[in-house]
Amino acid sequence: MIDLSGKHAVVTGGSRGIGRAIVLRLATQGADVAFSYRGNQAAAQETAAAVEALGRRALAVQGDVTDPAAAEAVVAAALAAFGSIDILVNNAGITRDDLIMRMSIDAWREVLETNLFGAFYTTKAVTRPMLRARSGRIVNITSVSGQAGQTGQANYSAAKAGLIGLTKATARELASRGITANAVAPGFVLTELTAGLPEALTAELVARTPLGRFGTVEEVAAAVAFLASDEAAFITGQVLAIDGGLVMM
């Protein structure tokens, strides 16, 4: 049983989807959780209430991770509320899919700034307190698109590939202080986004996945909880694919 009792976590983009599942899984395992959200206050309040119903402390902080000051604010708020940060999960992300020849510069920039720059800003903000504590777990949510590329997702694939590089560089820099950095790479997962896909496309994606189904947000969250735990203390710089065998490397 993974035990995160007494641990304090920060999750970016924690109000819905995979982020919400991660927040709830960490709380279920015993952690207090602060999470950022961009705009959906109702969803954030509901997630915070669900954490508190589990007997853990919750802190919802509104902010856009593309703003370095907002990244610093969520970390500062968590430190003020909890006293320390043991776990950081960089989950916040968006898609703006299009073919390269049609992709706008804004669509390219916005995805890179949210999915990659945002993770850097938050990682930078937690580095000093984790170094002082000589411990910490950083888990980045990348994607199979970052491992293998995806048609119509040049921006998203580039950002998620960059996140893998950031994970490995972070792991090397911080290892001497007992801090680990790893990534989780989901494949096709059942979320609000994928629920609206055309039936034919859904069937094609399932057919491409060796295990023959979509994953669940809970399965992704379980992997994050493991990497955030003491059981994973000797794992760093790794990318754990939660993809039903879609990408085998």
Side-chain angles (χ1 to χ4, degrees):
M1 179 69 173
I2 293 171
D3 185 8
L4 300 177
S5 299
K7 303 292 187 182
H8 307 126
V10 170
V11 180
T12 65
S15 63
R16 293 184 294 174
I18 291 174
R20 181 182 187 277
I22 292 168
V23 168
L24 295 183
R25 181 59 182 255
L26 296 179
T28 298
Q29 306 296 158
D32 297 320
V33 188
F35 64 92
S36 69
Y37 68 99
R38 188 159 66 171
N40 192 329
Q41 187 174 18
Q45 290 175 339
E46 191 277 332
T47 300
V51 170
E52 290 167 353
L54 292 167
R56 306 314 311 163
R57 288 181 291 172
L59 181 66
V61 182
Q62 186 171 15
D64 189 333
V65 295
T66 64
D67 178 5
E72 292 171 5
V74 67
V75 169
L79 286 170
F82 304 148
S84 65
I85 297 174
D86 305 288
I87 300 160
L88 168 65
V89 183
N90 285 308
N91 166 77
I94 60 170
T95 57
R96 297 289 185 269
D97 295 353
D98 212 339
L99 296 175
I100 290 172
M101 63 180 179
R102 292 203 300 252
M103 184 175 290
S104 69
I105 299 303
D106 285 344
W108 170 265
R109 181 179 292 113
E110 187 176 0
V111 170
L112 267 290
E113 288 183 347
T114 301
N115 297 23
L116 181 57
F117 288 29
F120 169 75
Y121 298 147
T122 317
T123 298
K124 182 177 172 65
V126 302
T127 297
R128 197 174 300 277
M130 283 188 176
L131 287 172
R132 281 198 296 265
R134 301 187 72 88
S135 69
R137 300 281 183 268
I138 298 171
V139 184
N140 296 322
I141 307 303
T142 181
S143 168
V144 295
S145 295
Q147 294 175 298
Q150 190 75 4
T151 300
Q153 289 194 320
N155 49 5
Y156 187 76
S157 297
K160 293 299 189 179
L163 196 52
I164 292 173
L166 175 62
T167 300
K168 293 178 182 291
T170 303
R172 289 190 184 277
E173 283 194 25
L174 304 183
S176 65
R177 298 296 183 92
I179 301 165
T180 67
N182 293 287
V184 170
F188 301 118
V189 176
L190 290 170
T191 63
E192 294 175 6
L193 187 65
T194 56
L197 292 175
E199 188 174 333
L201 179 56
T202 298
E204 178 191 338
L205 298 178
V206 167
R208 287 169 54 190
T209 303
L211 284 181
R213 65 174 177 85
F214 275 48
T216 69
V217 293
E218 290 78 16
E219 288 170 324
V220 176
V224 172
F226 166 66
L227 291 172
S229 73
D230 290 340
E231 281 82 351
F234 201 55
I235 301 172
T236 196
Q238 302 304 306
V239 181
L240 179 56
I242 312 298
D243 66 359
L246 183 64
V247 176
M248 300 190 189
M249 302 179 69

